[in-house]
Amino acid sequence: MKARLGLRDLWDNTNAPAPKAVKTLSELLGYKVDIDLDATKLWSDLQKHYTDPEDFAPTVAFIVQTWADCFSARLQDESNATWTEKLLEVVTEGKSVVQARVVVSAASVEQCFLILLAKSIDMLKPQAGALVKTSWSEAGGEFIIGVPECPPASISDDPQSTIAQSLQQLFGDAEPGMSKSTLKAEDNDWAAVDLPSREKNSTKAMPTKLPSAQSLARPDILFASQVPYHMIVTIMHDGIIVMGSHQPSLQLLKDYFEKYARVDQNRSDKTRILKIELQRSLFGYGNLFDSLKIEPFNPRATWDPINPVFILSFIENVLAYRMLLELSTGSQWQFRRDVAFK
């Protein structure tokens, strides 16, 4: 009972390392990550291997935390763009939640003995990483996180490497027999073909051949790194819409004007007069935003029209975009920036 309650305490505490790691992963994916962790069943299967019940909760929680951390690190690595795209196509098909389940994975008695022997004589680096793995269940539509069925001392000292390796092998990240050098060479070829110069006056020749759609990075990576950046400001009947190809520019606009939006003195909760929100893109996956909407917080209130002048000035003077006068009108303004932000 104490062991099960210990795991529940670690898991239900939102400030504990494992839940925080899962929350970070959810934010990177743009989807909620729901992990099925049955403490009662896990303890029933593992208690014979844990002479000290107090080792149970920290061990399971650490494995889940490591899984989430490795997953997040892989998503943040732009060289894994193709892998990430395939992953999202598979795991989010028809779903709004990414599912994962913690189970007990079998480990042979011989493996556990050799691992303990290697650790005790401090001569060999134990090859126990195979005990801590993750996999994808097509039948269940979920990730499987394996907790080794062996004493905690038999678990690898470096579960990160084997979890990372397991993730790399999922979703056709590399063809069998393909070496790392081959993959690196192909990545370089892809970059040379699909990534045009960021400098306005580059002497690099313009491409004369269209790339394939499969060779291009997903939108949140492709458009964040490519110039020119584009931005369009439009006055709507209920506010202002700012559309942009460079998400960090939109984020700065939001942060600045949200900070200085006036408070509605007629409300006791001190709500700001304007609601300023990033709008999720209809393209790509995860947290990709391509628009910023500025509108009255209370649409029924009678406020003066929102003055766009400060927004236009901020785009020109702070973000250093250039207004395209020939494409602008009295209610819509188009901007362009040809030099990438560092």
Side-chain angles (χ1 to χ4, degrees):
M1 176 66 73
K2 184 177 180 180
R4 297 197 304 271
L5 291 177
L7 180 56
R8 287 171 184 166
D9 289 342
L10 283 176
W11 188 244
D12 293 339
N13 181 3
T14 56
N15 292 320
K20 287 176 69 175
V22 173
K23 181 182 178 182
T24 298
L25 175 59
S26 297
E27 292 172 350
L28 284 170
L29 279 171
Y31 292 87
K32 179 183 177 183
V33 177
D34 184 14
I35 297 184
D36 181 3
L37 193 155
D38 188 334
T40 300
K41 187 175 189 318
L42 287 172
W43 176 242
S44 176
D45 293 338
L46 291 172
Q47 60 179 324
K48 61 185 177 183
H49 298 292
Y50 286 73
T51 54
D52 185 352
E54 292 188 359
D55 290 336
F56 171 70
T59 299
V60 175
F62 177 70
I63 288 175
V64 175
Q65 176 192 344
T66 303
W67 177 84
D69 286 341
C70 290
F71 208 145
S72 295
R74 188 164 184 82
L75 291 173
Q76 290 175 307
D77 187 345
E78 292 187 3
S79 66
N80 299 321
T82 301
W83 180 91
T84 301
E85 186 172 344
K86 290 180 180 178
L87 173 142
L88 290 170
E89 288 177 357
V90 173
V91 304
T92 63
E93 185 176 4
K95 298 180 180 179
S96 59
V97 177
V98 175
Q99 303 282 353
R101 183 160 51 94
V102 182
V103 302
V104 174
S105 59
S108 68
V109 174
E110 291 81 7
Q111 269 187 315
C112 293
F113 174 76
L114 290 174
I115 294 160
L116 286 170
L117 177 63
K119 289 184 176 182
S120 64
I121 63 178
D122 196 26
M123 288 178 58
L124 302 172
K125 182 179 176 69
Q127 301 299 317
L131 297 175
V132 187
K133 286 188 175 183
T134 186
S135 60
W136 171 254
S137 169
E138 292 188 5
E142 60 186 357
F143 285 97
I144 302 298
I145 305 170
V147 178
E149 188 180 6
C150 63
S154 299
I155 298 176
S156 168
D157 292 328
D158 184 22
Q160 293 90 340
S161 61
T162 49
I163 291 177
Q165 184 179 10
S166 297
L167 288 170
Q168 181 179 350
Q169 294 170 347
L170 297 177
F171 310 111
D173 185 52
E175 296 179 7
M178 184 177 290
S179 66
K180 289 184 179 180
S181 60
T182 303
L183 286 173
K184 185 176 180 181
E186 289 198 352
D187 285 346
N188 290 338
D189 290 343
W190 170 79
V193 171
D194 298 328
L195 301 182
S197 169
R198 298 183 181 187
E199 299 299 330
K200 180 179 179 180
N201 298 319
S202 171
T203 57
K204 181 177 178 180
M206 293 292 289
T208 58
K209 185 178 180 180
L210 287 173
S212 65
Q214 290 74 18
S215 69
L216 294 168
R218 65 181 191 270
D220 58 315
I221 294 176
L222 181 64
F223 297 118
S225 60
Q226 301 308 298
V227 291
Y229 305 143
H230 294 277
M231 193 171 285
I232 301 175
V233 180
T234 305
I235 295 181
M236 309 291 288
H237 69 282
D238 57 347
I240 294 175
I241 292 287
V242 183
M243 296 179 285
S245 63
H246 186 245
Q247 183 170 322
S249 294
L250 293 174
Q251 183 68 56
L252 182 58
L253 263 174
K254 175 186 183 297
D255 293 343
Y256 180 82
F257 286 103
E258 192 172 54
K259 177 180 179 180
Y260 290 104
R262 289 172 52 192
V263 171
D264 186 352
Q265 300 297 334
N266 296 321
R267 294 176 61 104
S268 59
D269 58 2
K270 302 301 181 182
T271 300
R272 297 191 182 277
I273 292 175
L274 296 177
K275 181 167 63 174
I276 305 174
E277 293 183 336
L278 289 170
Q279 306 292 306
R280 191 182 298 275
S281 176
L282 299 179
F283 300 98
Y285 304 99
N287 289 325
L288 175 60
F289 300 91
D290 61 8
S291 301
L292 177 68
K293 187 171 185 180
I294 304 173
E295 60 184 340
F297 188 87
N298 181 5
R300 297 180 180 178
T302 55
W303 302 106
D304 293 332
I306 301 173
N307 190 336
V309 172
F310 284 164
I311 296 170
L312 302 179
S313 181
F314 189 93
I315 295 171
E316 282 196 289
N317 297 312
V318 177
L319 297 177
Y321 281 65
R322 175 171 55 90
M323 183 183 290
L324 304 177
L325 295 174
E326 66 277 12
L327 299 177
S328 300
T329 66
S331 59
Q332 185 179 85
W333 300 266
Q334 297 195 30
F335 298 85
R336 169 178 173 142
R337 178 185 166 98
D338 295 295
V339 179
F341 289 109
K342 295 182 179 180

